Amino acid sequence: MTYRFRFAFLCVLLPISLSAQSDKVMMQGFYWDVTPGAVWYDTLAHYAPLLHRVGFDAIWFPPPSKGAAGAFDVGYTPYDYYDLGEFDSAAGDNTSGTGQYIPTRYGTRAGLERAIHAYKSRGMEVYADMVLNHRSGGRLEVNPHATHFKNRGGGSDYSPDGIHTYTAFPLTHGSGRVAWPEGQGHHYFFPNAIRNPSNTGDFFSNTQLAGFHQMYSNYFGYDNALHNGDGSNLPLGDSLMAWGNWLVEEIGFDGFRFDFVKGIHPEYFKRFMNHGAMSGKYAVHELFDGDMNRLKTYLNQISGSHREGAVFDFNLRFAYKEMSDGGNGWDIRNLHTRALFTQSGVSWNRIATFVDNHDFDRLNYNGQVGADGHSPVVNKKAQAYAHMLTHPGLATVWWRDYMIYGMRNRIGKLVMIRKAYASGGLRILTAFTDASGSFQAPQWSGNASDDPKQVYVAQRLGHNNQGNNQSGLIVAINKHSSFPIDVWVTSQIWKPAAGQTTKLYDITGNTTYQPTVYPDGRVLIKTQPNSYHVFVPLSYTLDEVVNVAVTEFDLPTADLRIGDTFTPRIQVENRSTFATGMVEFVFQLRDSLNVIVHTDTLRRASMQAGNAYNFTFSSVQFHQAGEFHLEAYHTYASDQDSTDNLIRYTIQVSDTTQIYPFRVDGIRSEGSYQTIAIKQNDNTGFGLGKDIRSVHIAESADSLYVFIEGYLLLTDADGFGLMLDMTEKQGLSAGTPITRVPNGSYYLNTSHSGHTSFAFDFEVDYGFALFGAQSGRTSLSMADFTQTPSVGQLIVPVAQSPLSNGTPVTGVNGIRYAFTKSTEVGSGLEMVLPKSAFGLDSGQLRIFAFVVSNTAYYSNVLVPGDAVGTAGTNQNFGFNTDFSALPTGGPFHSGWMRYGDGISDVSVDRKEDSTPKGIRLWQNYPNPFNPSTVIGFQLVGAQGYAHVQARLTVYDILGREVAVLVDGLMQAGAHSVTFDASNLTSGIYIYKLEAGGDTVTRRMTLIK
């Protein structure tokens, strides 16, 4: 609801008396659906130095606990409160099946604690987003109240049958704390046997307690039973108070932002914040309400804790939104009374102001609207920040505004101004008043009827030390799109002696105009259109930091040889408080006599403060052996710190006649490699960013070298699979299910017992799960099928990892990958296999390489060759693929090749594309998507027929049919349909096209 106010033309606004301390500022350190892959805590830690330099006092972290959606959960449906990403545990009492921990969307507990330390070590406070109302991700259990939730839209209390609800939380694999075994969990949700067993709908709903609370009205379907009707603790309320104390005492948080406080009794919050280590900590409450009286009422309701809680000033934020959307017609005098800090009796330290947050700006990490309610401040946003950052309260800066939307310099300067000069009382100089005393009414030089609607001028009075003002400012905001506007106002400070003047200037740099303060305090403020200014005396300055650091050299991955070409890359970080101007970077190569033999120069016009950049110089080729010195530096003239201006390394270039010419570096640069398999078509079956182009093999006297040319993402669960068949070894015969292999990982030992029946059309002796990149981590596992039963092990790429017979399966540093370099031909995964590991010096082998998920979901297109999977019993396409039973069109492996005296008798499979000719199914767009996406396909009719019987269906990852998009006779040709997944949850979905006797499947990802 929008609230407007009328203004009396004669009213007095007295200055608000505030502390001499400069007003504080907080960063909201996340946004809706930030980048997944457990990297966000690293991002927060990286920017800690910048935020400290600029002057931020605190940062608000995302919810830290493991959520119901695992690595994609934004944290507002907690699953295991004490699992901060260090347990092998997921919703539904599941595990990864690999024995490895499952991080949260944002990272691990260790990453969280490192990020917290990065801020606290700099004197900043860190607040946790606290979600007390909800819990989700439980297992089904019998609930006597389930009938109330049979038709509800979701949540823990959702009942699929009127008998069960998802309210059991045994946490077998997790922290084990706040755990409810099956049959007990429903006692901790509403309704339950003790409180409101009949779910009458009026149990402490929004008709009670001041009329705007929504306690236990079961709107979300997963309400925690924290307290009873008068706010007295129930058992879960006690448990979460202990959890909050643990977050402060053990993890190191300094306070909380409480989510959805309308659903929790104020008396509970007071006890919460008085408990243990939380006593005296900061807490700000999200009362999502624009009614000023309700905000004030709520502040009174939570009064009484050792440190009284604060609220976000939604009323002021709604005024910013009105200014954004209202154009020239909106009256800026609305700002005079729309803020809590202008209300008598409201202490400034109980107010948190903001322009936008995750509830109003709901763009995800791909820039797509990720949730309903997206309504950001778009226009006049700089003016809104100028107002907020010069006025009282804890000003909260929105991460996307500062880091993403190009406002880093402007917001950063306003924060620095706030920390230096925004203190003391507030006086709105353009507010109408009588002419008594020294505070005279403003006088408008232009249109006296319209100008007051466009320009806002206020003054912070600063603090006075023995008659010498050391702070204070005048902020002037002109929201008109095209008119400069002037106004005479009265400054209470900086009044010079009779006959003298005080000159001011705009410390933001938005105008060169310098106002003059006369002895009676009168000063003419000139404002530019669609702009803002902060005027201070000429003696006021800001302590800006200017420092560009060369931080890292991208060195060669192995020793260089004569004839090699090296491409120098450096990493540079702008450690300044603002963006740089033109910066020149120089690379030099010196020989052993310190003579420069190569040089190159790059120029970059601007670098954002706090960001790291990678720069690539021109390549250099080495024509002689010996020692060389690499050095890189910059010539940024205004840099204040020369200690990190220069970076230098020494490298060796070897004579190629004295060493064996193989380097394991993830780059296929050796000429000895022979191609044994090539990609057969353009569809990998796993979407963009994952592919295998070809497979290659080479041999030295003691080792085999395997190179898979392709690329993967580091942020999902797909990887490379590799199977070896050797004539001299006896492994699993063709058609034998692989099943689970103890101590293996990913598809070699999948967590799902139903995904272990896949088989191959050739004998399998050894299998490798190559860098299944789950949650941004890489690992390597192998299985030895020549033993009975089969055994597996994890492999450490940088060390010798012995087989069960004690021989190393790889040499030291025997595995290297460059599969994220998707634009570079000849990059991928390279590994060396010592022949001693297999006890063989010669023989024949064949290789099968493919893209596979960690759960053994196979790509529909394999290298070499391709295969369209058929549905298993659960309608999962690609699971349990029986490669031995496929129709003619294979093989799905290389031909036999002989090794022992150089690779020979290689037969490369170059068969024709066997993709069904009758249909084509394209990847959906966009992907990932929310909530709708477009699926394109093509139908080809049989000879003489213009129509095709077609069916296009969508399945969830468990094989359940969730949508039928096409089912009937369609004209041959290209078609597209829109799939709306508004009623589905986040996850991976399979879509299948059946037509003319052919079937093609693809998968897509829904992220909400």
Side-chain angles (χ1 to χ4, degrees), residues 704-755:
L704 295 173
Y705 295 81
V706 178
F707 185 85
I708 301 176
E709 182 176 350
Y711 49 90
L712 290 172
L713 298 177
L714 287 176
T715 54
D716 62 18
D718 298 331
F720 291 156
L722 180 69
M723 295 291 180
L724 301 182
D725 180 14
M726 297 179 168
T727 53
E728 289 74 18
K729 290 289 183 178
Q730 185 64 43
L732 296 180
S733 58
T736 305
I738 295 298
T739 69
R740 287 178 171 175
V741 180
N743 300 319
S745 68
Y746 300 102
Y747 74 92
L748 296 175
N749 188 12
T750 174
S751 60
H752 197 298
S753 60
H755 301 166

Side-chain angles (χ1 to χ4, degrees), residues 84 170 489 702:
L84 307 186
V489 296
D702 57 3

